Amino acid sequence: MFGAGFSWSGRPLESFWAGNRHPNLVTLTAFPILPESRDPAKAPNFEPARSLTINSIKHVSFVTKTQNNIPIIILSDEDDDEGDFLRSHNDSSVLIVENDRNEPDVSKHIEELDEDLAITYSQTATVLPHARYDCTLAFCRAEQDISGPLQDNAKHCDQCFCYICDKLASMCELWTIPGICHCNAHKHSVYWKALRDKSLMGYLHELNFTFDPLDMDADLRRAETSLQKFAGSLAMKYATFLLGFENPNTSTGCRCTCHRNITSTTPSQTIGCKGCYKHHFKMLEYDYTVVSQHIKMFLNEAKKENPKACVVMLLGAIKLFVNHTTPGNIHAANTVSETVSMLLWRFMTKVWTLLVGFDFSGSFIKQLESFYQKLPLPPNCTLPNSLSVLPWDDPLLSAVMKGQNITGERQGKGRRHQVLCEPLVVVQARVCKLQQQNKYRELARYLKVVKSINNPTLQRMKDLVPLYLCKDGDYIGAVSHMLSPLPGATCLASRLTPQQFRAYLRILTSGHTPVVAQELDTGNGHMIIPDPLLSAKWTPIEGSNSFKMMEVLKFALRVLDCNCTVFADSETWVYLLSVVSSSYTTPDGVPVGAFFAEPDITYQKVTRDAASAILEELTTTSRIQIPKTFESGYPDQARLLLATQALVLRIFHSQLRPILSVVLAFRFNRWALRWFFYSLLVRPDVLHYLFCCLVEELSDERYQLLQRKWSETEHSLVAYFLCMFFWESSVVLDLNTYPTNSLLATWNESHNPWQLSLKLYLECNVAKLTAEKRQILHQIQQQGK
């Protein structure tokens, strides 16, 4: 035995009603009793003072007082001592000793009770909140007795809490009510524990959520309150819907005898035969709109809550409306079924978005999964059978994100083959999350390999992989991905629209990319992904290096070779010519033109042959190889001539209109326009068609407004190109045939400055004109007077 100076230094580890722990730990400082001399030096085997922590009531034997009336606790180191006392107090978590007099709690005298024990210090205990069954007041246990208070169970101290209500016993309204009797509740009863769990979880328990009552935090409380309120209001709306309504415009023919001889204007109420009552019945109609609108309002309210509360509210609401149906006809039943299905998709889309976007605990997700598995989903529902959301640290998913796995497949343990396959809405939510984090490289890796249902939406998301690579500054990877054939499908470049192709040209030359935005379809709950390449908002690419202009041109030519739609688009050719004849492209996507010095005639001829060979190989093999010598000497001019030669082949292939904008693309380099004209000489029919198109567009009213905005340089450029048809002797023009007669018929130099420029060019080069063309010039001069 030890003599002990002691004090209650207990602290609540956590509320006793939250677990099986005692609310107080009692620390006692103990030391051996000294001999009568009280001299520690003379004490044999003297040991320094040490502390004991009492965490079991078995260590407390009895309570007594000293001669000075100081409360003390007598300790025993044997569990069997004072057995009767223990049996009467073995359910207590604390033992309270009160000091009746206002005397100091600390006694400086050492009172010796026997030869082995001495009390050196004492202090009155502080009583902490505790369950009624843990109180020092006597408590009688029973598994399930609610008829009335058992023995003294109704009594309680100031710190007793109701085990069921989780509030002070004095505030429990059901403390002694027969048939309920919360005063008899304790944690050792299956009945009372289940009732406490139900009380703590509230309406979530009725919905069959399996959360641990200890996990009921503010978010779950908020969800429980909102769901209970929504359940009541939804039940009223649905009950009103089931009553239906009678449409006065709907009538049912009566086959009774008395109606056969009466006009249709006779009110049916005046007819009273039995047939009338048999055949006249109410035709009820059902309108689910009010109910669905109420459900949508709850969805909007849930979105305003914290993620944890929101996801519980959404899943709980699904259980409340998933079985809605109608007693009406098949059409009404189908309408309700379609509406419920649409609402399910909208709710679950938000659920998946939350599960992907926020880091919920594994246990919380398992509880949600358990609840989702028990939902009575309708037979026609296309939702997945499980929540199917991989955590971000999943081995396969994280390996794909890091670039360690480029197939999306791996051989798991036990020869189990694992494939990265997720529901479409999960893929959309994951894409949205990675976009928000600006993790475009990881996003591109994920979209390359992830699998889902065969849905056009997934393909549209995968088609944006080159854009995400561009946002990451990987231009080479983006171009390679667009031009690489896909298993069982054509390459992405062959499916680009002209607008998308021009957007990629803008990205590669300006260093800016469009902003990607995702929206939620209010109709079916699916994500809408507007084409970001058509976005009006663009932002710079951080830390990216410029893409070489020759690489841009090679990419453009390969796309033009495999994409018929882009190949046929006139505006695409105009933009390509503007890009290759520019010094740079502004962030707004406008190429800034540059004047390139005209190469010598020999170089132009050699370049024409080399460009023709390059393009022929491209057409034959779908590959493009540029010799190193091609750009030597005149790199800018070589690229412009290669693009111009591709334009020549395009015009040889089929008609290209409008042609005026193509001509104006050469505004900074007239020598290239002349090179273009002479490349067409091998096809006189094409030249004649081209001249006809120019005359028609110049006289068309749709282009008149555009011409008024032309600068003097542009008017002069058009006149210069027309003049080449007059200067070239192999081109035949007749004064009385089309299109020359049409040109003269619309001659008006005051309204068309290009006509004045054309006349001046012809007058300065009369020597180059044939006799027929001089007659045309003479006619022009006559009309100009």
Side-chain angles (χ1 to χ4, degrees):
M1 294 291 293
F2 292 96
F6 65 92
S7 65
W8 292 97
S9 58
R11 56 181 179 85
L13 299 179
E14 59 181 77
S15 298
F16 57 86
W17 53 90
N20 296 325
R21 304 180 182 87
H22 287 292
N24 296 314
L25 296 179
V26 180
T27 301
L28 303 175
T29 302
F31 53 86
I33 297 298
L34 302 180
E36 294 181 357
S37 63
R38 309 295 183 182
D39 186 358
K42 298 179 181 181
N45 302 322
F46 178 79
E47 295 181 4
R50 51 182 173 171
S51 296
L52 296 178
T53 299
I54 298 178
N55 55 10
S56 172
I57 195 63
K58 292 182 180 181
H59 292 287
V60 180
S61 294
F62 57 91
V63 180
T64 186
K65 292 187 178 181
T66 65
Q67 295 178 354
N68 295 327
N69 204 27
I70 299 176
I72 60 173
I73 295 180
I74 305 301
L75 304 181
S76 172
D77 59 352
E78 296 180 3
D79 292 344
D80 294 332
D81 290 349
E82 304 296 337
D84 295 339
F85 179 85
L86 292 176
R87 280 190 294 272
S88 63
H89 294 81
N90 61 357
D91 291 330
S92 299
S93 56
V94 294
L95 194 59
I96 313 303
V97 181
E98 296 293 346
N99 190 348
D100 295 335
R101 295 183 301 174
N102 295 329
E103 296 178 359
D105 291 335
V106 180
S107 176
K108 297 182 180 179
H109 301 283
I110 299 177
E111 301 292 342
E112 188 173 336
L113 301 180
D114 56 34
E115 60 181 4
D116 294 326
L117 176 67
I119 304 302
T120 62
Y121 172 83
S122 68
Q123 181 177 340
T124 303
T126 300
V127 182
L128 298 178
H130 53 271
R132 171 61 185 88
Y133 61 82
D134 266 340
C135 188
T136 55
L137 298 176
F139 182 81
C140 179
R141 291 183 184 176
E143 171 59 30
Q144 179 181 348
D145 194 326
I146 56 177
S147 59
L150 295 176
Q151 297 183 9
D152 295 332
N153 286 2
K155 298 179 181 179
H156 59 81
C157 71
D158 294 339
Q159 295 295 331
C160 281
F161 264 65
C162 175
Y163 179 65
I164 304 301
C165 300
D166 200 24
K167 57 186 177 182
L168 284 172
S170 59
M171 299 176 62
C172 176
E173 299 175 356
L174 307 176
W175 188 249
T176 58
I177 301 298
I180 302 177
C181 264
H182 284 184
C183 65
N184 294 334
H186 59 92
K187 67 181 179 182
H188 301 287
S189 165
V190 175
Y191 168 78
W192 288 114
K193 191 174 187 305
L195 185 62
R196 169 180 169 75
D197 292 347
K198 180 179 179 181
S199 175
L200 289 178
M201 291 183 60
Y203 193 66
L204 296 182
H205 186 276
E206 295 185 29
L207 291 174
N208 290 331
F209 279 102
T210 58
F211 299 124
D212 190 322
L214 298 179
D215 296 332
M216 289 296 294
D217 54 13
D219 288 331
L220 294 183
R221 292 284 186 192
R222 176 64 178 165
E224 185 269 338
T225 303
S226 300
L227 281 171
Q228 187 171 20
K229 181 179 178 181
F230 173 66
S233 59
L234 180 64
M236 295 178 61
K237 300 284 185 184
Y238 186 59
T240 304
F241 159 76
L242 292 176
L243 296 176
F245 63 94
E246 188 175 4
N247 191 341
N249 298 325
T250 304
S251 60
T252 304
C254 182
R255 296 171 292 177
C256 63
T257 305
C258 60
H259 272 88
R260 296 176 182 174
N261 301 323
I262 299 178
T263 62
S264 59
T265 59
T266 304
S268 60
Q269 292 84 343
T270 61
I271 308 301
C273 73
K274 294 182 180 179
C276 292
Y277 293 106
K278 181 178 179 181
H279 296 291
H280 286 178
F281 56 91
K282 291 184 178 181
M283 293 292 294
L284 296 179
E285 296 185 5
Y286 300 88
D287 187 1
Y288 194 70
T289 304
V290 176
V291 182
S292 64
Q293 290 295 334
H294 188 65
I295 296 173
K296 292 176 183 177
M297 288 177 60
F298 182 77
L299 171 61
N300 294 331
E301 292 177 3
K303 290 179 180 179
K304 301 175 183 177
E305 299 292 339
N306 292 334
K308 187 175 181 180
C310 180
V311 71
V312 174
M313 290 170 64
L314 295 177
L315 289 175
I318 288 177
K319 186 168 185 178
L320 295 175
F321 72 78
V322 68
N323 286 328
H324 280 188
T325 184
T326 177
N329 53 35
I330 297 178
H331 174 72
N334 290 338
T335 301
V336 174
S337 177
E338 292 174 359
T339 305
V340 169
S341 179
M342 178 269 294
L343 290 171
L344 282 174
W345 271 106
R346 290 192 61 184
F347 273 64
M348 286 308 302
T349 297
K350 184 60 179 178
V351 169
W352 276 309
T353 302
L354 292 172
L355 292 179
V356 172
F358 296 91
D359 188 18
F360 296 116
S361 65
S363 61
F364 180 71
I365 294 178
K366 287 182 180 179
Q367 290 163 345
L368 297 182
E369 177 70 34
S370 174
F371 179 83
Y372 180 81
Q373 293 282 352
K374 299 175 184 177
L375 287 177
L377 299 177
N380 63 337
C381 180
T382 57
L383 288 173
N385 296 326
S386 65
L387 293 180
S388 303
V389 178
L390 292 175
W392 287 99
D393 58 355
D394 176 78
L396 177 57
L397 179 60
S398 60
V400 168
M401 296 287 189
K402 296 175 182 177
Q404 300 169 350
N405 186 313
I406 60 175
T407 63
E409 302 178 6
R410 77 181 185 114
Q411 198 70 32
K413 296 181 179 179
R415 296 184 178 180
R416 184 173 61 90
H417 189 65
Q418 185 179 3
V419 179
L420 184 57
C421 183
E422 297 190 286
L424 180 63
V425 289
V426 175
V427 176
Q428 290 176 320
R430 212 176 288 281
V431 168
C432 186
K433 179 68 174 180
L434 291 172
Q435 286 177 1
Q436 294 173 356
Q437 297 175 338
N438 294 330
K439 295 182 177 180
Y440 297 111
R441 182 179 303 177
E442 291 81 356
L443 175 54
R445 291 169 178 168
Y446 171 73
L447 284 177
K448 283 181 181 180
V449 301
V450 68
K451 294 178 176 60
S452 187
I453 58 175
N454 186 17
N455 190 292
T457 303
L458 178 63
Q459 187 59 54
R460 286 196 298 271
M461 288 191 292
K462 286 179 173 287
D463 287 347
L464 294 178
V465 167
L467 174 60
Y468 298 134
L469 291 174
C470 287
K471 281 181 167 291
D472 191 54
D474 185 8
Y475 296 139
I476 297 177
V479 170
S480 175
H481 184 82
M482 276 189 280
L483 296 172
S484 300
L486 302 175
T490 57
C491 65
L492 172 58
S494 64
R495 293 181 277 110
L496 292 175
T497 64
Q499 295 85 352
Q500 291 173 336
F501 172 69
R502 294 195 295 271
Y504 276 116
L505 286 182
R506 176 180 172 182
I507 292 172
L508 297 176
T509 55
S510 69
H512 287 65
T513 56
V515 175
V516 182
Q518 291 189 348
E519 301 174 0
L520 184 66
D521 185 359
T522 56
N524 57 20
H526 292 171
M527 287 288 186
I528 299 176
I529 307 178
D531 192 345
L533 294 170
L534 306 181
S535 173
K537 185 178 180 181
W538 290 54
T539 56
I541 303 173
E542 297 181 2
S544 64
N545 298 321
S546 59
F547 205 45
K548 293 182 178 180
M549 185 57 70
M550 179 55 78
E551 297 300 322
V552 175
L553 181 57
K554 289 168 62 176
F555 160 71
L557 293 176
R558 292 188 65 182
V559 174
L560 290 166
D561 177 67
C562 68
N563 192 316
C564 297
T565 305
V566 175
F567 182 76
D569 184 61
S570 175
E571 190 174 350
T572 295
W573 287 98
V574 172
Y575 192 73
L576 176 59
L577 290 171
S578 301
V579 167
V580 296
S581 61
S582 65
S583 55
Y584 67 94
T585 302
T586 66
D588 295 333
V590 179
V592 178
F595 293 94
F596 301 147
E598 181 179 359
D600 57 77
I601 300 300
T602 303
Y603 178 85
Q604 295 185 33
K605 182 179 179 181
V606 172
T607 303
R608 179 180 286 111
D609 296 337
S612 299
I614 291 171
L615 295 173
E616 183 178 357
E617 181 185 9
L618 173 62
T619 304
T620 305
T621 64
S622 298
R623 295 193 304 268
I624 184 169
Q625 295 182 359
I626 309 295
K628 293 182 179 180
T629 58
F630 183 76
E631 292 185 273
S632 60
Y634 300 95
D636 296 326
Q637 293 85 337
R639 292 190 294 267
L640 177 56
L641 293 180
L642 179 58
T644 304
Q645 185 62 27
L647 174 63
V648 171
L649 297 180
R650 164 63 185 88
I651 295 176
F652 284 169
H653 180 271
S654 59
Q655 296 181 0
L656 181 64
R657 303 187 68 171
I659 198 64
L660 266 177
S661 54
V662 175
V663 173
L664 293 175
F666 292 94
R667 61 174 59 87
F668 296 101
N669 297 281
R670 290 193 178 190
W671 60 268
L673 181 62
R674 186 171 63 252
W675 192 89
F676 167 67
F677 176 82
Y678 286 113
S679 297
L680 297 173
L681 285 177
V682 295
R683 292 283 301 274
D685 57 324
V686 172
L687 272 177
H688 178 74
Y689 152 74
L690 205 59
F691 188 70
C692 293
C693 289
L694 283 170
V695 173
E696 290 176 7
E697 292 177 17
L698 287 169
S699 59
D700 194 329
E701 294 181 358
R702 291 175 298 177
Y703 294 94
Q704 293 298 317
L705 181 60
L706 180 62
Q707 293 181 35
R708 295 191 185 100
K709 298 180 181 179
W710 284 356
S711 64
E712 182 179 348
T713 302
E714 292 168 327
H715 282 284
S716 176
L717 181 67
V718 172
Y720 179 78
F721 187 64
L722 287 173
C723 206
M724 284 187 275
F725 287 89
F726 287 86
W727 292 339
E728 179 55 43
S729 58
S730 61
V731 177
V732 179
L733 298 177
D734 189 353
L735 180 64
N736 300 314
T737 60
Y738 185 83
T740 308
N741 55 0
S742 177
L743 175 64
L744 296 174
T746 58
W747 196 268
N748 188 338
E749 297 176 6
S750 60
H751 288 82
N752 302 310
W754 62 268
Q755 293 179 348
L756 177 60
S757 298
L758 175 59
K759 184 180 71 172
L760 295 176
Y761 278 127
L762 294 177
E763 290 176 345
C764 293
N765 296 274
V766 175
K768 297 181 180 181
L769 304 180
T770 62
E772 294 82 1
K773 294 175 181 178
R774 289 178 183 178
Q775 292 180 7
I776 298 173
L777 174 58
H778 178 72
Q779 187 66 30
I780 290 174
Q781 292 171 338
Q782 291 296 322
Q783 293 187 4
K785 293 182 180 180

